Amino acid sequence: MLQRFVLWGCVSWVLLGLGLWVGKNVYDNGLKKQALQRHQHLTKAARTMLHEHLMVSVQDTQQLSAVAYELGFLDQPNAENQQKLTQVFLNTAAIYGRYDQIRIIDLDGKERIRINNTNLGTFVVPEHKLQDKKDRYYVQRGLKLTPGQVYLSPLDLNKEQDKLETPFKPTIRLVRMMKSVTGEPAGLLVLNMKAAGMLNQFIELFPKGDRAMLLNAEGYWMVNHKPANEWGWMRDRPDLTVASWQPSLWQQLQSRTAGSVYLDGSLFSFSWLDIANIYEGTSSARYVYDLGVVSDLQASQWAILIESEKQRWQAAAIYHKPGFRGALAAVFLLTLLAVYLLIRNRQQARQNAALEREQLENFKDLYENAPIGYLTLTQDGLISNTNKRTLEYLGYQREELVRQKSLAELIDAESFEQAHALLSTMMQDEEHHRRIRIKAKNGDILVMSCSVSSRLSHERTLELGRFSMQNVSHQARLEQQLKELAHKDPLTGAANRRWFDELAERELARAHRVGMPLTLIELDIDHFKKVNDTYGHDAGDEVLKALAEHCQNSLRTTDVLARFGGEEFVILLPDTSLEQGTHKAEQIRQALGRLRVIVSNNIEIRFTVSLGVATLSEAHGSIQALLKSADQALYKAKNSGRNQVCAAGEPGEKGNFEI
């Protein structure tokens, strides 16, 4: 009896142990499969992100080349065309911020235009500092291109005077052969793309625990979870390669374009990509077109490598939970638990699928009948779906928008910058709003309150994005009218006293902060009462309006013209010295002296003005003190015979002035 009990007990424990061993292997394989699926999803997202970054830069290269062609610089490289093209490059570097340098290099390899974008700002390199680059590899490669082709250089670290720049600055150069009017090669456009943002975004795609790595064709790390392992070929560290770290893993990488391998307790997934092939993996897509990208085969081969340690993909395993070992003694409970887990997982999957179908139907209904307009966009900005409210706003039929127009075609040119800023927030886990001008089918410009919202997965990848709009045109018009009423003098359109005080305090604070001069002109029409008494107040109003219009046209956009009442005006000149302000006042005096105001019955009125000028000094701690000083100078001009300019503290002379 005892022997039989022991025998069956041993058999039972052996069978139980074998069953547990088999079950654990099956369970672990399931966990490993889930980890591999996550790796594949992350790899696809990373490939898309990398290609998108390069596609944007390629498109920038093509766009800037088209601008150079349209401005005529390649065929007529005169000073005017060069200045226009240089300004476009400056704006591009400053707005997008993703290029260290933008250059035009002629067919002899010499720099013609160079824009540098540094931490200190964006600036034009003087002509005497332009360099001969004919010996650089990317110039030699670019000169072999046909017009329209874009050469993509290897990703490496930027060097200054043959030394690595620190902190490290990953750089990719894009070189495009530009053409003349006759279609012949005319020069190279070279963009130095700052790749740090792209690499940081690559790292951020992967959740904690999944180690993301990016390799070049030789197996060196361009991205590693330990920064000290990166850029080995640039740092003369041939040991910093996958081949040195895991030789068997490197053999797998060399033998296949994609795959996975389990080594030393870690799960590895890898996938090679041709970074120059922007549409790699999407060759069957409907809208693929040739971007003209060429590259050196070896330099364009990158590999995405993901490592997950065993404790990472087994962290949620049930046998790590407290109390599980106690359940091993109960064979039936273990069996029931296994069945229960299998049934529960299958049932949960069915319930989730049903819930997703229901939520999808509800979402479609809410989307279509929402009280505000919605647009769904593809990655290249093409409208893939819209709702009824959008069609009502814009006056289009659905088939005229969907798959026919892009969002950029609907946005008024004045709102391109706001729209770009709004769309750049798509990957943020919150909602942002901007007012954007949208063009309706009939040509009307509608002011829309627009927002983008997104739903992100646990891996911080985009699952759902939406562009919404609400017509606030009427509200915008009312706000503009109220703003003008609150800030402007109703007769002359100049700033009123209240608005002037606010702007002046702001400029005063800025002048104290940055140490720049601030000058104020006080202006008064000579014998203005005589104009009103002789010709009437309507004629006097015409004189005031003519004066304000002339002054406004002669001022900079940063200057402020304000009417303080009656015939008294004040002009605030930021970043202007007393000498410059006095010269400006004299120009205004002379111009107004020549001005002829025609009123009713073709009556011609001519008038003169007296002006007082004061500039900010230690004695002027407030705008009121500056106004008082200018007023005293004006008073001096009046007492000295009128029709003249007096600077604060200087004697006035008719028709002349002194500093």
Side-chain angles (χ1 to χ4, degrees), residues 311-498:
Q311 56 266 33
R312 157 66 173 160
W313 52 269
Q314 285 188 346
I318 192 171
Y319 46 77
H320 288 311
K321 298 186 180 298
F324 181 78
R325 292 182 180 179
L328 294 179
V331 177
F332 293 106
L333 292 179
L334 180 63
T335 304
L336 291 175
L337 179 61
V339 173
Y340 167 73
L341 290 174
L342 291 173
I343 294 175
R344 187 185 68 174
N345 289 340
R346 293 177 63 86
Q347 184 179 6
Q348 187 66 43
R350 288 194 295 269
Q351 290 176 348
N352 290 341
L355 181 60
E356 288 178 0
R357 288 193 296 270
E358 181 181 357
Q359 290 175 339
L360 180 60
E361 292 300 321
N362 291 338
F363 173 75
K364 289 180 179 179
D365 181 68
L366 291 172
Y367 181 94
E368 180 63 21
N369 299 295
I372 61 176
Y374 285 138
L375 289 175
T376 303
L377 308 175
T378 63
Q379 292 181 353
D380 56 1
L382 191 69
I383 298 172
S384 61
N385 198 7
T386 186
N387 68 344
K388 293 179 181 178
R389 182 63 68 181
T390 302
L391 301 177
E392 293 173 2
Y393 282 156
L394 305 182
Y396 285 100
Q397 298 296 319
R398 188 181 301 273
E399 57 272 15
E400 293 178 307
L401 283 182
V402 176
R403 300 294 178 183
Q404 299 300 318
K405 288 187 176 294
S406 66
L407 177 61
E409 294 178 77
L410 302 180
I411 296 174
D412 185 59
E414 293 184 13
S415 291
F416 279 158
E417 184 175 346
Q418 295 94 318
H420 182 272
L422 182 63
L423 291 173
S424 66
T425 66
M426 183 71 76
M427 293 301 295
Q428 300 178 13
D429 206 1
E430 55 187 51
E431 190 168 352
H432 297 264
H433 298 267
R434 290 285 179 96
R435 282 192 177 182
I436 296 176
R437 293 161 56 90
I438 303 292
K439 295 180 290 188
K441 182 180 179 180
N442 62 4
D444 291 345
I445 302 297
L446 305 177
V447 180
M448 297 287 190
S449 177
C450 300
S451 66
V452 293
S453 57
S454 59
R455 187 179 69 207
L456 305 180
S457 69
H458 294 298
E459 289 78 17
R460 305 295 298 172
T461 56
L462 184 66
E463 290 186 347
L464 178 66
R466 183 187 301 115
F467 184 90
S468 64
M469 62 180 74
Q470 188 170 11
N471 192 350
V472 294
S473 299
H474 180 65
Q475 178 183 345
R477 287 193 295 270
L478 291 178
E479 291 173 356
Q480 183 62 30
Q481 292 172 2
L482 290 173
K483 184 177 180 180
E484 291 181 359
L485 290 174
H487 293 166
K488 292 186 178 181
D489 173 57
L491 175 63
T492 63
N496 58 24
R497 179 62 182 269
R498 179 181 176 183

Side-chain angles (χ1 to χ4, degrees), residues 58-68 176 189:
V58 171
Q59 291 172 339
D60 287 346
T61 306
Q62 294 171 332
Q63 181 65 29
L64 290 176
S65 178
V67 171
R176 191 177 198 270
L189 173 65

